[in-house]
Amino acid sequence: MAGYLVEDKRKVTTHRLIQMKQEGKKIAMLTSYDYTTAQIVDGAGMDVILVGDSASNVMAGNVTTLPITLDQMIYHAKAVVRATQRALVVCDMPFGTYQVNPTEGVTNAIRIMKESHCDALKLEGGVEIIDTVRKILDAGIPIMGHLGLTPQSINKFGTYSVRAKEEAEAEKLISDAHALEDAGCFGIVLEKIPAKLAERVTKELTIPTVGIGAGGACDGQVLVIADMLGMTKGFSPKFLRRYAELGTVMTDAIGHYIQDVKNCDFPNENEQY
Ligand code: KIV
């Protein structure tokens, strides 16, 4: 395993993220769902690892994030926590585990914290879930909000296109962001909203914003690891920068292995006992 790529090896805390905003230092956040990948991501110096419910798409092949269960999220979060020394590990609360009422929300939040040992939770939504957010925060659990395109509501939106382009939705997003900050959230993910709106929210809040398709003014950025490493096919939104073409690298390597096996080139004399 390669050594850490950052000099500051102290465990990242929610307080440090707020401090980073104050100091104008950008926050790097990336998803991970398993031990081996999280070890690499943490070792590279990531500030925040998100055990996103995008695991539903990336790991399980579901069309949406809705089917993933509490048990499955805990399984992924446990593996990521085991691999992580430095990054703050944030776990998504899956669809249906916090929308019913605050009591159920806090019960499920406590279960994730107790069983996975992650550092914080992320919930999608604004004022509609604010009582639940407060109750979870009251239990001593740090929360990251998530506004804009909230994939758990895809059946309501009907499309993954840019949110809050119209004034009314933009104004609601701004008041939701303030409500989450006032309740005590330590940060907010802003997904797929106009850059100007994200800039305004970022300026108005004292807690950091982490954007995905929300422009460069956010205090940090988050991407889904399989997308930015070029492992996913047929997904190329404007905001996505592909830092590698691992899908091609893997296909070449696997094809090479198949050939070697078929041609009796693998294993050779040095690769056997
Ligand atoms: O589940 C996820 O990966 C997310 C990011 C897109 C922010 O919520």
Side-chain angles (χ1 to χ4, degrees), residues 29 31 33 50-55 57-58 65 73 92 122 124 146 149 151 189 191 210-212 222-225:
M29 173 162 153
T31 66
Y33 319 102
L50 173 65
V51 185
D53 59 359
S54 50
N57 314 88
V58 177
T65 58
M73 287 304 296
D92 266 338
K122 177 164 80 58
E124 295 182 6
H146 184 155
L149 177 65
V189 165
E191 181 163 352
V210 180
I212 173 164
V222 56
L223 285 175
V224 169
I225 189 159

Side-chain angles (χ1 to χ4, degrees), residues 46-241:
M46 197 59 57
D47 298 310
V48 184
I49 298 182
L50 173 65
V51 185
D53 59 359
S54 50
S56 177
N57 314 88
V58 177
M59 302 304 287
N62 292 312
V63 176
T64 72
T65 58
L66 276 71
I68 200 158
T69 66
L70 192 61
D71 285 343
Q72 287 165 340
M73 287 304 296
I74 291 171
Y75 169 85
H76 289 297
K78 267 183 177 171
V80 169
V81 168
R82 269 186 225 119
T84 305
Q85 292 174 38
R86 180 183 176 275
L88 182 90
V89 179
V90 179
C91 180
D92 266 338
M93 288 196 75
F95 175 67
T97 63
Y98 60 96
Q99 289 92 346
V100 177
N101 60 54
T103 307
E104 213 175 286
V106 77
T107 304
N108 290 326
I110 288 172
R111 223 195 114 198
I112 301 177
M113 298 302 287
K114 258 188 182 304
E115 294 183 28
S116 76
H117 301 180
C118 70
D119 302 307
L121 302 176
K122 177 164 80 58
L123 278 68
E124 295 182 6
V127 290
E128 318 78 41
I129 58 156
I130 208 70
D131 290 342
T132 303
V133 166
R134 283 203 199 95
K135 202 153 175 74
I136 296 173
L137 287 163
D138 284 348
I141 301 170
I143 296 185
M144 185 166 215
H146 184 155
L147 299 172
L149 177 65
T150 46
Q152 292 179 11
S153 302
I154 187 59
N155 292 317
K156 187 173 80 181
F157 297 149
T159 150
Y160 284 99
S161 54
V162 180
R163 303 301 314 175
K165 279 160 85 175
E166 307 302 330
E167 203 181 322
E169 197 180 335
E171 287 304 325
K172 171 160 177 9
L173 189 143
I174 292 164
S175 62
D176 281 344
H178 281 286
L180 291 168
E181 169 164 278
D182 293 346
C185 289
F186 71 87
I188 301 179
V189 165
L190 297 176
E191 181 163 352
K192 230 172 166 185
I193 61 168
K196 280 263 174 290
L197 175 60
E199 184 177 359
R200 179 167 165 200
V201 173
T202 302
K203 281 190 178 144
E204 287 189 15
L205 298 187
T206 57
I207 56 170
T209 60
V210 180
I212 173 164
C218 293
D219 299 301
Q221 297 295 324
V222 56
L223 285 175
V224 169
I225 189 159
D227 297 336
M228 61 86 80
L229 290 180
M231 296 171 79
T232 38
K233 282 188 189 153
F235 182 66
S236 50
K238 190 176 172 183
F239 69 78
L240 175 61
R241 187 179 295 178

Side-chain angles (χ1 to χ4, degrees), residues 1-12 16-17 20 26-30 32 37-49 83-88 221:
M1 183 64 222
Y4 277 79
L5 298 183
V6 287
E7 283 186 3
D8 190 349
K9 298 183 189 70
R10 288 175 302 158
K11 172 82 183 169
V12 178
R16 186 115 71 87
L17 297 180
M20 284 171 77
K26 293 280 186 182
I27 297 164
M29 173 162 153
L30 190 62
S32 290
T37 310
Q39 235 186 359
I40 296 169
V41 172
D42 187 52
M46 197 59 57
D47 298 310
V48 184
I49 298 182
T84 305
Q85 292 174 38
R86 180 183 176 275
L88 182 90
Q221 297 295 324

